[in-house]
Amino acid sequence: MKLVLASKNEKKLAEMNDILSHLGIEVCSEAEAGVDLEVEETGTTFEENSLLKARAVMEASGLPAIADDSGLCVDCLNGAPGVYSARYGGGELSDEERYRLLLNNMRGQMTRAAKFVSVITCCFPNGDVLSARGECPGTIAYAPMGEGGFGYDPVFFVPELKKTFAQLAPDEKNAISHRGKALEAFKEKLEEYLNGM
C-alpha cells in the first residue's frame, strides 16, 4: 500500500518510512504523488491540523494520505508554542532562531517541564479516517546540546537518558519520541484496519 505524506519535510518522510515499511507500506512525498499544496493550519489542536492536512492531500492525490501535526508544549508558557511550534516567533525564523527565542522567553524560569506531542492522521479515499496520538515528556535545557534532529531537538532534554533529542541516535529517538509513539499506535490501528478489509 502507498500513502502520501502531507508534508515537504524530508526527515519526517524518512522517519515514517522507517517505521511503516515493516507493514509493507511505502510512504511517498507529495511531489512523487504530483501534489504541491500549502495547507493552511487553521485548527486549534494537533488533531484538527493533522486531519486538515491529510484530507487536503488525499483529495488532491486520490491516494490515502498521512499527516503528522506535532509540537512542543511548555508548562511555564501555558502550553506554548503548541500548535504554533513551527511558526513560533514568525514563519521566517530558522529552527535555531526559534529555539533561542523559546530559551529567551523562559529566562529565569525554574520550572522547565515540557512535552512533545504528535498526532498522526490518515485519510482514505473511501472516507475512512485513522488517528493516533503520542507524547514524550521531558524538560527544556538551559542551552542547546547536540547536532542531530531538527526543530527544538537541541533544547528538549530527556532526564532518564540525560541527553537532548539532538544527542540521540535516530533509533534511540524513534524508540521514545512522540512521533515514534504515535506511529507505533498508528501502525497497530492500520494493521487492524488492513486485516479487516
Side-chain angles (χ1 to χ4, degrees):
M1 178 187 257
K2 186 181 258 191
L3 301 179
V4 185
L5 176 62
S7 168
K8 293 176 177 59
N9 186 322
E10 291 297 320
K11 290 181 179 174
K12 236 179 227 190
L13 183 66
E15 213 169 40
M16 293 248 181
N17 267 313
D18 197 37
I19 292 171
L20 294 176
S21 60
H22 313 298
L23 287 181
I25 285 170
E26 180 198 345
V27 184
C28 74
S29 67
E30 288 182 24
E32 290 171 293
V35 175
D36 185 17
L37 284 181
E38 275 306 323
V39 181
E40 209 178 326
E41 296 180 30
T42 54
T44 56
T45 65
F46 297 113
E47 281 79 3
E48 287 172 9
N49 283 334
S50 181
L51 179 62
L52 280 171
K53 293 187 277 191
R55 185 172 284 143
V57 170
M58 179 272 293
E59 286 171 355
S61 67
L63 293 167
I66 186 170
D68 148 81
D69 197 54
S70 51
L72 179 66
C73 302
V74 180
D75 288 10
C76 70
L77 299 177
N78 298 318
V83 292
Y84 307 106
S85 293
R87 306 182 295 281
Y88 189 54
E92 63 292 334
L93 295 188
S94 69
D95 282 354
E96 183 178 349
E97 287 169 324
R98 231 179 293 289
Y99 70 66
R100 293 215 178 268
L101 171 66
L102 178 79
L103 292 177
N104 203 33
N105 289 343
M106 291 181 68
R107 191 173 283 141
Q109 288 288 344
M110 299 314 289
T111 306
R112 317 263 322 161
K115 66 181 175 184
F116 262 128
V117 177
S118 170
V119 174
I120 290 172
T121 304
C122 186
C123 289
F124 295 88
N126 67 0
D128 289 345
V129 175
L130 295 179
S131 185
R133 181 182 176 107
E135 295 186 1
C136 180
T139 62
I140 301 301
Y142 287 92
M145 294 178 282
E147 300 298 317
F150 56 97
Y152 297 93
D153 288 359
V155 296
F156 187 77
F157 187 77
V158 183
E160 307 83 81
L161 301 177
K162 296 181 175 45
K163 288 179 179 177
T164 66
F165 264 13
Q167 293 173 303
L168 299 176
D171 55 337
E172 282 182 295
K173 181 184 163 186
N174 287 346
I176 63 155
S177 80
H178 53 305
R179 191 169 299 113
K181 288 175 183 174
L183 273 168
E184 279 306 318
F186 174 75
K187 194 167 94 172
E188 285 176 29
K189 288 186 178 186
L190 187 59
E191 252 178 311
E192 279 174 36
Y193 177 78
L194 295 175
N195 289 336
M197 286 175 85

XYZ file of all heavy atoms in Angstrom, residues 111-187:
579
model
N 10.863 26.142 36.539
C 10.018 25.023 36.109
C 10.215 24.862 34.610
O 9.832 25.731 33.836
C 8.529 25.331 36.415
O 8.426 25.653 37.793
C 7.643 24.151 36.091
N 10.839 23.757 34.206
C 11.222 23.585 32.797
C 10.475 22.419 32.142
O 10.836 21.979 31.059
C 12.731 23.347 32.685
C 13.569 24.230 33.551
C 14.173 25.439 33.039
N 14.722 25.563 31.741
C 14.923 26.775 31.191
N 14.600 27.867 31.846
N 15.432 26.874 29.991
N 9.446 21.878 32.813
C 8.723 20.707 32.277
C 8.089 21.035 30.928
O 7.574 22.132 30.707
C 7.648 20.259 33.259
N 8.140 20.054 30.030
C 7.588 20.228 28.687
C 7.250 18.851 28.130
O 7.637 17.831 28.697
C 8.608 20.922 27.787
N 6.532 18.837 27.036
C 6.304 17.568 26.341
C 6.196 17.841 24.854
O 5.761 18.907 24.427
C 5.031 16.875 26.854
C 3.737 17.615 26.558
C 2.537 16.878 27.118
C 1.268 17.714 26.917
N 0.090 17.104 27.528
N 6.649 16.872 24.095
C 6.434 16.876 22.657
C 5.167 16.068 22.407
O 4.966 15.007 23.018
C 7.599 16.195 21.931
C 8.635 17.138 21.383
C 9.979 16.947 21.672
C 8.282 18.184 20.541
C 10.951 17.789 21.142
C 9.247 19.029 20.011
C 10.578 18.835 20.313
N 4.308 16.552 21.524
C 3.068 15.866 21.170
C 3.042 15.651 19.660
O 3.463 16.530 18.895
C 1.827 16.708 21.573
C 0.537 16.032 21.133
C 1.808 16.949 23.072
N 2.573 14.497 19.244
C 2.406 14.218 17.810
C 1.062 13.529 17.597
O 0.713 12.608 18.332
C 3.523 13.296 17.323
O 3.242 12.832 16.015
N 0.318 14.005 16.615
C -0.923 13.337 16.212
C -0.791 12.982 14.745
O -0.477 13.830 13.906
C -2.159 14.228 16.444
C -3.412 13.570 15.870
C -2.351 14.494 17.929
N -1.007 11.698 14.446
C -0.924 11.205 13.079
C -2.322 10.842 12.607
O -3.060 10.159 13.307
C 0.017 9.996 13.019
C 1.433 10.516 13.259
C -0.086 9.283 11.666
C 2.457 9.492 13.424
N -2.670 11.339 11.438
C -3.984 11.050 10.863
C -3.797 10.547 9.445
O -2.974 11.083 8.698
C -4.868 12.321 10.845
O -4.951 12.829 12.171
C -6.269 12.022 10.335
N -4.569 9.521 9.095
C -4.559 9.003 7.727
C -5.986 9.066 7.199
O -6.907 8.569 7.840
C -4.040 7.564 7.711
S -3.827 6.911 6.045
N -6.147 9.706 6.044
C -7.458 9.790 5.390
C -7.449 8.922 4.140
O -6.521 9.001 3.324
C -7.767 11.235 4.985
S -8.121 12.305 6.381
N -8.470 8.093 3.999
C -8.593 7.201 2.859
C -9.655 7.752 1.897
O -10.623 8.377 2.344
C -8.997 5.794 3.316
C -7.960 5.125 4.168
C -7.950 5.308 5.552
C -6.976 4.333 3.604
C -6.979 4.709 6.353
C -6.003 3.728 4.390
C -6.008 3.913 5.769
N -9.497 7.490 0.587
C -10.478 7.984 -0.389
C -11.910 7.515 -0.126
O -12.855 8.180 -0.538
C -9.950 7.451 -1.726
C -8.473 7.303 -1.514
C -8.337 6.870 -0.076
N -12.081 6.389 0.603
C -13.442 5.905 0.886
C -14.089 6.623 2.070
O -15.206 6.307 2.470
C -13.439 4.389 1.140
C -12.703 4.014 2.429
O -12.197 4.868 3.148
N -12.646 2.725 2.712
N -13.361 7.592 2.651
C -13.923 8.356 3.770
C -13.451 7.901 5.138
O -13.696 8.563 6.141
N -12.770 6.741 5.205
C -12.272 6.257 6.493
C -11.130 7.149 6.998
O -10.342 7.684 6.206
C -11.761 4.813 6.378
C -12.900 3.816 6.189
O -14.066 4.189 6.434
O -12.612 2.668 5.800
N -11.054 7.289 8.318
C -10.005 8.099 8.948
C -9.435 7.324 10.137
O -10.178 6.790 10.949
C -10.572 9.453 9.457
C -9.498 10.241 10.210
C -11.128 10.280 8.313
N -8.113 7.229 10.205
C -7.427 6.630 11.351
C -6.573 7.717 11.999
O -5.949 8.508 11.299
C -6.502 5.492 10.916
C -7.117 4.241 10.311
C -6.008 3.263 9.929
C -8.090 3.580 11.266
N -6.550 7.727 13.332
C -5.771 8.749 14.019
C -5.129 8.168 15.276
O -5.700 7.301 15.923
C -6.699 9.911 14.381
O -5.954 10.955 14.950
N -3.923 8.639 15.603
C -3.216 8.178 16.805
C -2.389 9.331 17.373
O -1.905 10.181 16.621
C -2.313 6.997 16.473
N -2.246 9.328 18.706
C -1.519 10.401 19.388
C -0.374 9.811 20.202
O -0.509 8.747 20.797
C -2.489 11.148 20.316
C -1.890 12.318 21.088
C -2.958 12.936 21.999
N -2.419 14.005 22.823
C -2.671 15.301 22.637
N -3.477 15.695 21.660
N -2.142 16.206 23.425
N 0.743 10.518 20.235
C 1.880 10.113 21.061
C 2.435 11.320 21.796
O 2.400 12.435 21.268
N 2.936 11.087 23.005
C 3.536 12.170 23.783
C 4.863 11.707 24.371
O 5.017 10.538 24.705
C 2.606 12.603 24.933
C 1.308 13.220 24.462
C 0.456 13.772 25.604
O 0.885 13.702 26.789
O -0.649 14.275 25.312
N 5.791 12.636 24.488
C 7.070 12.348 25.132
C 7.357 13.462 26.135
O 7.554 14.609 25.750
C 8.194 12.275 24.106
S 9.801 11.925 24.853
N 7.369 13.117 27.439
C 7.660 14.131 28.446
C 9.158 14.411 28.544
O 9.986 13.542 28.256
C 7.136 13.504 29.741
C 7.242 12.025 29.505
C 7.074 11.805 28.022
N 9.490 15.626 28.958
C 10.893 15.988 29.133
C 10.985 17.350 29.798
O 10.032 17.800 30.438
N 12.130 17.978 29.645
C 12.323 19.332 30.175
C 13.043 20.162 29.113
O 13.605 19.604 28.158
C 13.170 19.325 31.476
O 14.465 18.800 31.172
C 12.531 18.496 32.570
N 13.034 21.468 29.302
C 13.758 22.339 28.376
C 15.126 22.644 28.986
O 15.226 23.136 30.114
C 12.977 23.655 28.115
C 11.588 23.360 27.535
C 13.779 24.574 27.179
C 11.570 22.579 26.226
N 16.167 22.325 28.246
C 17.544 22.562 28.700
C 17.803 24.072 28.778
O 17.084 24.865 28.170
C 18.517 21.908 27.718
N 18.832 24.445 29.505
C 19.184 25.867 29.619
C 19.968 26.355 28.398
O 20.049 27.545 28.146
C 19.971 26.117 30.914
C 19.082 26.043 32.135
C 18.918 24.842 32.832
C 18.382 27.165 32.570
C 18.083 24.763 33.942
C 17.538 27.094 33.684
C 17.393 25.897 34.358
O 16.551 25.824 35.449
N 20.545 25.407 27.650
C 21.311 25.751 26.447
C 21.224 24.577 25.473
O 21.041 23.432 25.898
C 22.768 26.002 26.811
N 21.325 24.838 24.156
C 21.243 23.745 23.180
C 22.426 22.792 23.303
O 23.539 23.206 23.608
C 21.253 24.468 21.830
C 21.811 25.819 22.093
C 21.512 26.152 23.523
N 22.127 21.500 23.060
C 23.178 20.469 23.089
C 22.886 19.453 21.997
O 21.745 19.018 21.851
C 23.181 19.738 24.448
C 23.559 20.604 25.626
S 23.479 19.696 27.202
C 21.726 19.668 27.527
N 23.912 19.069 21.242
C 23.776 18.023 20.227
C 23.618 18.581 18.829
O 23.232 19.731 18.636
N 23.943 17.728 17.854
C 23.951 18.147 16.449
C 22.828 17.516 15.626
O 22.576 17.918 14.508
C 25.294 17.757 15.789
C 26.515 18.384 16.452
C 26.512 19.896 16.397
O 26.183 20.450 15.338
O 26.818 20.526 17.440
N 22.174 16.477 16.172
C 21.190 15.733 15.386
C 19.809 16.341 15.431
O 19.588 17.412 15.999
N 18.874 15.616 14.809
C 17.468 16.003 14.860
C 17.167 17.288 14.119
O 17.929 17.738 13.269
N 16.037 17.898 14.488
C 15.620 19.148 13.860
C 14.664 19.865 14.803
O 14.317 19.341 15.861
C 14.970 18.882 12.488
C 13.802 17.925 12.511
C 12.491 18.391 12.551
C 14.007 16.543 12.472
C 11.417 17.505 12.570
C 12.934 15.659 12.483
C 11.631 16.136 12.531
N 14.263 21.065 14.442
C 13.320 21.815 15.270
C 13.887 22.117 16.649
O 14.997 22.627 16.792
N 13.126 21.744 17.677
C 13.501 22.046 19.069
C 14.368 20.954 19.703
O 14.659 21.014 20.903
C 12.232 22.242 19.923
C 11.392 23.410 19.478
C 10.342 23.244 18.582
C 11.652 24.700 19.947
C 9.571 24.319 18.165
C 10.887 25.784 19.544
C 9.848 25.590 18.646
O 9.091 26.661 18.229
N 14.776 19.955 18.911
C 15.524 18.812 19.458
C 16.743 19.199 20.318
O 16.986 18.572 21.344
C 15.957 17.853 18.340
C 14.778 17.063 17.766
O 13.643 17.253 18.242
O 14.999 16.251 16.850
N 17.529 20.245 19.931
C 18.716 20.568 20.742
C 18.401 21.068 22.162
O 19.275 21.048 23.024
C 19.414 21.666 19.933
C 18.922 21.477 18.528
C 17.498 21.026 18.670
N 17.166 21.523 22.417
C 16.842 22.031 23.757
C 15.851 21.144 24.511
O 15.515 21.418 25.661
C 16.309 23.496 23.720
C 17.394 24.437 23.200
C 15.031 23.630 22.912
N 15.376 20.047 23.862
C 14.436 19.145 24.536
C 15.222 18.036 25.216
O 15.799 17.167 24.563
C 13.422 18.565 23.545
C 12.331 17.771 24.230
C 11.288 18.417 24.875
C 12.358 16.385 24.236
C 10.288 17.691 25.535
C 11.362 15.648 24.878
C 10.328 16.308 25.527
N 15.253 18.078 26.546
C 16.092 17.190 27.350
C 15.254 16.055 27.946
O 14.173 16.291 28.474
C 16.737 18.014 28.476
C 17.754 17.270 29.296
C 19.034 17.032 28.807
C 17.447 16.821 30.574
C 19.982 16.359 29.564
C 18.390 16.145 31.348
C 19.662 15.915 30.841
N 15.774 14.835 27.813
C 15.093 13.654 28.363
C 15.853 13.232 29.623
O 16.949 12.660 29.532
C 15.065 12.499 27.323
C 14.293 11.306 27.875
C 14.463 12.977 26.005
N 15.286 13.526 30.823
C 16.016 13.272 32.075
C 16.524 11.837 32.241
O 17.668 11.641 32.672
C 14.986 13.620 33.161
C 14.091 14.628 32.502
C 13.993 14.187 31.070
N 15.702 10.832 31.889
C 16.128 9.425 32.079
C 17.386 9.109 31.279
O 18.208 8.299 31.692
C 15.034 8.422 31.649
C 13.661 8.600 32.249
C 12.831 9.654 31.522
O 12.249 9.349 30.478
O 12.779 10.793 32.016
N 17.518 9.717 30.111
C 18.670 9.424 29.250
C 19.791 10.440 29.429
O 20.879 10.281 28.873
C 18.224 9.390 27.776
C 17.151 8.365 27.431
C 16.742 8.484 25.974
C 17.623 6.943 27.709
N 19.494 11.527 30.158
C 20.468 12.605 30.371
C 21.018 13.153 29.049
O 22.202 13.477 28.924
C 21.618 12.130 31.282
C 21.147 11.776 32.690
C 22.299 11.348 33.570
C 21.908 11.110 35.021
N 20.690 10.355 35.263
N 20.117 13.239 28.066
C 20.501 13.760 26.748
C 19.340 14.545 26.153
O 18.187 14.308 26.506
C 20.808 12.606 25.777
C 22.083 11.861 26.044
C 22.254 10.739 25.016
C 23.542 9.976 25.229
N 23.677 8.852 24.293
N 19.680 15.458 25.232
C 18.624 16.105 24.450
C 18.295 15.202 23.261
O 19.076 14.303 22.925
C 19.063 17.477 23.888
O 20.105 17.267 22.927
C 19.524 18.425 24.992
N 17.148 15.466 22.623
C 16.788 14.715 21.409
C 17.899 14.821 20.362
O 18.130 13.890 19.604
C 15.483 15.276 20.822
C 14.239 14.525 21.239
C 14.247 13.601 22.262
C 13.031 14.755 20.577
C 13.098 12.908 22.632
C 11.876 14.068 20.928
C 11.903 13.143 21.956
N 18.577 15.970 20.294
C 19.628 16.175 19.285
C 20.887 15.356 19.578
O 21.752 15.211 18.725
C 19.979 17.655 19.183
N 20.990 14.798 20.793
C 22.149 13.971 21.148
C 21.874 12.477 20.979
O 22.771 11.663 21.162
C 22.558 14.251 22.603
C 23.107 15.652 22.825
C 23.328 15.948 24.294
O 22.413 15.867 25.107
N 24.564 16.285 24.653
N 20.631 12.133 20.643
C 20.262 10.723 20.497
C 20.487 10.237 19.066
O 20.298 10.992 18.112
C 18.782 10.521 20.855
C 18.354 10.867 22.279
C 16.842 10.705 22.426
C 19.077 9.992 23.299
N 20.853 8.962 18.929
C 20.915 8.341 17.606
C 19.468 8.223 17.098
O 18.542 8.129 17.913
C 21.556 6.967 17.703
N 19.248 8.225 15.767
C 17.880 8.161 15.244
C 17.034 7.020 15.811
O 15.866 7.225 16.151
C 18.084 8.001 13.732
C 19.395 8.665 13.469
C 20.232 8.379 14.685
N 17.632 5.825 15.980
C 16.843 4.699 16.501
C 16.508 4.885 17.981
O 15.432 4.495 18.435
C 17.538 3.348 16.243
C 18.947 3.272 16.788
O 19.574 4.344 16.975
O 19.433 2.157 17.038
N 17.421 5.526 18.745
C 17.141 5.840 20.155
C 15.976 6.820 20.246
O 15.077 6.683 21.063
C 18.359 6.518 20.809
C 19.505 5.625 21.220
C 20.601 6.463 21.889
O 21.220 7.317 21.220
O 20.828 6.250 23.088
N 16.029 7.836 19.392
C 14.988 8.870 19.397
C 13.639 8.266 18.996
O 12.624 8.503 19.654
C 15.373 10.020 18.459
C 14.342 11.140 18.438
C 14.707 12.218 17.422
C 13.510 13.089 17.105
N 13.773 14.036 16.039
N 13.616 7.475 17.921
C 12.364 6.862 17.455
C 11.717 5.984 18.522
O 10.505 5.869 18.577
C 12.593 6.028 16.186
C 12.824 6.903 14.966
O 12.569 8.103 14.993
N 13.323 6.312 13.899
N 12.554 5.363 19.369
C 12.036 4.450 20.391
C 11.245 5.173 21.481
O 10.349 4.604 22.085
C 13.177 3.659 21.022
N 11.566 6.454 21.728
C 10.896 7.172 22.830
C 10.147 8.420 22.386
O 9.390 8.985 23.161
C 11.915 7.589 23.923
C 12.951 8.568 23.350
C 12.568 6.386 24.555
C 13.573 9.465 24.379
N 10.366 8.855 21.150
C 9.807 10.145 20.736
C 8.286 10.114 20.608
O 7.672 9.060 20.441
C 10.418 10.598 19.400
O 9.789 9.918 18.326
N 7.713 11.302 20.669
C 6.278 11.490 20.476
C 5.833 10.926 19.134
O 4.828 10.233 19.038
C 5.944 12.985 20.575
C 6.779 13.856 19.669
N 8.163 13.837 19.695
C 6.439 14.752 18.709
C 8.620 14.689 18.782
N 7.609 15.254 18.173
N 6.625 11.199 18.071
C 6.253 10.714 16.739
C 6.419 9.203 16.657
O 5.603 8.515 16.063
C 7.070 11.413 15.648
C 6.522 11.136 14.251
C 7.137 12.003 13.170
N 6.875 13.407 13.414
C 7.807 14.307 13.725
N 9.074 13.962 13.813
N 7.486 15.553 13.937
N 7.480 8.688 17.296
C 7.681 7.245 17.338
C 6.504 6.545 18.014
O 5.989 5.537 17.526
N 6.057 7.110 19.155
C 4.920 6.529 19.890
C 3.630 6.638 19.083
O 2.837 5.691 19.026
C 4.750 7.227 21.242
C 5.838 6.883 22.247
C 5.663 7.701 23.526
C 6.792 7.422 24.511
N 6.710 8.322 25.679
N 3.410 7.804 18.463
C 2.197 7.987 17.654
C 2.211 7.041 16.461
O 1.192 6.435 16.117
C 2.081 9.437 17.183
N 3.391 6.876 15.842
C 3.497 5.971 14.688
C 3.287 4.520 15.091
O 2.675 3.757 14.349
C 4.848 6.142 13.989
C 4.899 7.246 12.934
C 6.338 7.528 12.523
C 4.067 6.880 11.714
N 3.801 4.131 16.269
C 3.587 2.754 16.745
C 2.095 2.500 16.967
O 1.555 1.470 16.568
C 4.363 2.498 18.038
C 5.833 2.170 17.824
C 6.090 1.007 16.876
O 5.375 -0.017 16.954
O 7.007 1.121 16.047
N 1.412 3.464 17.614
C -0.029 3.334 17.857
C -0.782 3.333 16.525
O -1.723 2.555 16.325
C -0.521 4.478 18.741
N -0.331 4.175 15.598
C -0.964 4.241 14.285
C -0.753 2.929 13.531
O -1.667 2.417 12.880
C -0.393 5.417 13.479
C -0.897 5.459 12.068
C -2.195 5.878 11.792
C -0.100 5.039 11.012
C -2.676 5.871 10.492
C -0.573 5.037 9.724
C -1.868 5.463 9.457
N 0.468 2.387 13.639
C 0.802 1.138 12.953
C -0.150 0.013 13.393
O -0.649 -0.739 12.563
C 2.264 0.778 13.256
C 2.847 -0.301 12.370
C 4.355 -0.351 12.523
C 4.738 -1.370 13.561
N 6.184 -1.606 13.620
